[in-house]
Amino acid sequence: MRLFYTTIFTLLLSVTMLNAQSYFNGKFKIQTYTYADREFTLYDFSREGDVNTNLKAKYFATDAYNQYLDWKSGKEILFITAGAFSDGWDSDAKPVGLCVDNGKTINKFPKAEMDGMVIIYNGAAQQGGIAVVDMDKKYVTVENPYGSKNYEQYDPRDNAIDRTNFLNWGESAGVTLFQTQLVYSEKKSDSENFGNTSFGDKRERRYLAICIKNGIVHHVVVDVPEAIKLMEGAQRTKEVLDYDGFNVLYIMNLDTGDKNVMYCYNGSYLENQYPYKGSNTDAAKIENATNLLIYYKD
């Protein structure tokens, strides 16, 4: 037990904050830490408040830029990045695994090795919220229809009938949903989550964490610009989030890919961060995105 506390104490001493910004009464915060010889920038979106005042997530799975242009009027855009992995580089590429895009089924074929089901709500009291299910550990539970208090469970990854019914629910509910890699799940043990931290090539990483802090749900995008292996980066991200006081529920791997789109509100306007490492910076422009994860306020 003494060794455990010594380890935690050492971690707390080794994390250093470099800078921080806060907007909209602290609902959107940007904090950069150094830890384990790398920088970790946390883009923290609070879900505090009702549907009219909280910060919201939106996802466009395909033809993302045109959908974004049609949708963005009257909204203040705070952050944009890529989300799920796609089956190609063109703007009409489809996400890998099961996907419904704002009520339209895009991909009916599950990805067996992807354990995360992500549901983004586009309306009603849950608008802008994200639900994540670890499909290795439990079924996907949905309310069908909304407001009915009738709950149904599905196993869409491994059961064909459940898959059809689940996609039908996604269409009727007008939600967005997709499969992804869970690199951390509260449903799994430490050995299940981080048993192989050497997995994955070294590259820039970006993760989306769903967390609780002081009883409030937070969505936190964590950018790790220095090259790191997938699961080592996930473990370090979890440790930095722990240090910052978050109770981490899930961490998902986001696709930086060849285009590596990332824009962020700087207090005045939405600024392209140009995280793309090659010479063609046009690749990192929103116009060329295959899919987009967006945070905004009404």
Side-chain angles (χ1 to χ4, degrees):
M1 185 61 71
R2 180 176 299 172
L3 177 60
F4 173 79
Y5 283 118
T6 301
T7 302
I8 294 297
F9 183 67
T10 302
L11 170 63
L12 297 180
L13 288 178
S14 61
V15 179
T16 303
M17 180 181 288
L18 291 182
N19 55 67
Q21 297 91 43
S22 179
Y23 306 106
F24 309 109
N25 297 318
K27 286 191 173 183
F28 176 34
K29 295 180 180 178
I30 306 170
Q31 299 179 111
T32 299
Y33 293 95
T34 58
Y35 174 53
D37 298 323
R38 287 180 173 84
E39 291 186 4
F40 296 77
T41 299
L42 279 55
Y43 300 89
D44 172 17
F45 306 92
S46 170
R47 290 282 293 160
E48 184 177 14
D50 62 23
V51 72
N52 297 313
T53 60
N54 59 22
L55 303 187
K56 301 175 181 69
K58 185 71 174 177
Y59 186 73
F60 296 116
T62 188
D63 192 25
Y65 182 61
N66 287 327
Q67 288 202 74
Y68 167 74
L69 291 179
D70 291 340
W71 163 85
K72 72 183 183 71
S73 177
K75 301 171 181 68
E76 189 149 19
I77 310 302
L78 307 181
F79 188 84
I80 300 176
T81 190
F85 293 83
S86 298
D87 62 6
W89 299 113
D90 295 332
S91 62
D92 60 351
K94 296 180 180 180
V96 174
L98 296 173
C99 180
V100 175
D101 188 2
N102 297 281
K104 179 181 178 181
T105 297
I106 302 299
N107 193 341
K108 298 181 179 180
F109 301 99
K111 194 73 171 175
E113 61 268 30
M114 286 186 168
D115 47 356
M117 175 55 63
V118 181
I119 300 172
I120 301 176
Y121 293 96
N122 295 316
Q126 300 181 78
Q127 182 179 356
I130 292 180
V132 181
V133 179
D134 181 348
M135 292 188 292
D136 285 346
K137 296 297 182 179
K138 62 185 296 187
Y139 292 139
V140 181
T141 301
V142 301
E143 186 179 20
N144 189 19
Y146 279 154
S148 66
K149 297 186 178 178
N150 175 55
Y151 294 93
E152 298 175 350
Q153 289 187 327
Y154 302 114
D155 179 14
R157 184 177 55 172
D158 301 316
N159 184 297
I161 295 175
D162 279 8
R163 185 179 312 135
T164 298
N165 291 334
F166 177 65
L167 292 174
N168 288 341
W169 168 83
E171 289 186 351
S172 65
V175 300
T176 295
L177 59 89
F178 60 90
Q179 275 187 270
T180 189
Q181 302 164 313
L182 280 182
V183 292
Y184 173 82
S185 167
E186 65 166 350
K187 306 297 182 185
K188 293 185 171 77
S189 66
D190 285 346
S191 60
E192 288 177 296
N193 279 312
F194 302 127
N196 181 13
T197 55
S198 63
F199 178 79
D201 295 333
K202 280 191 172 183
R203 59 175 302 167
E204 177 179 355
R205 299 292 173 184
R206 195 166 302 131
Y207 304 97
L208 172 62
I210 307 299
C211 310
I212 303 290
K213 191 174 190 179
N214 299 323
I216 303 298
V217 175
H218 289 248
H219 300 179
V220 187
V221 176
V222 182
D223 187 60
V224 190
E226 289 92 359
I228 193 169
K229 288 182 177 291
L230 174 65
M231 294 310 300
E232 180 187 1
Q235 184 179 45
R236 298 305 185 204
T237 290
K238 168 68 164 48
E239 290 165 348
V240 171
L241 290 166
D242 287 343
Y243 171 82
D244 202 21
F246 290 101
N247 174 24
V248 182
L249 306 180
Y250 301 102
I251 302 175
M252 293 157 279
N253 183 33
L254 298 179
D255 181 24
T256 54
D258 184 55
K259 296 181 178 179
N260 201 0
V261 171
M262 191 168 74
Y263 290 65
C264 184
Y265 178 78
N266 63 9
S268 300
Y269 61 93
L270 192 67
E271 182 179 10
N272 192 344
Q273 304 299 301
Y274 287 110
Y276 181 76
K277 302 303 182 186
S279 58
N280 179 18
T281 54
D282 284 344
K285 289 183 177 179
I286 188 174
E287 295 88 337
N288 298 316
T290 54
N291 66 90
L292 294 171
L293 174 66
I294 301 165
Y295 281 93
Y296 71 99
K297 68 182 294 290
D298 291 315

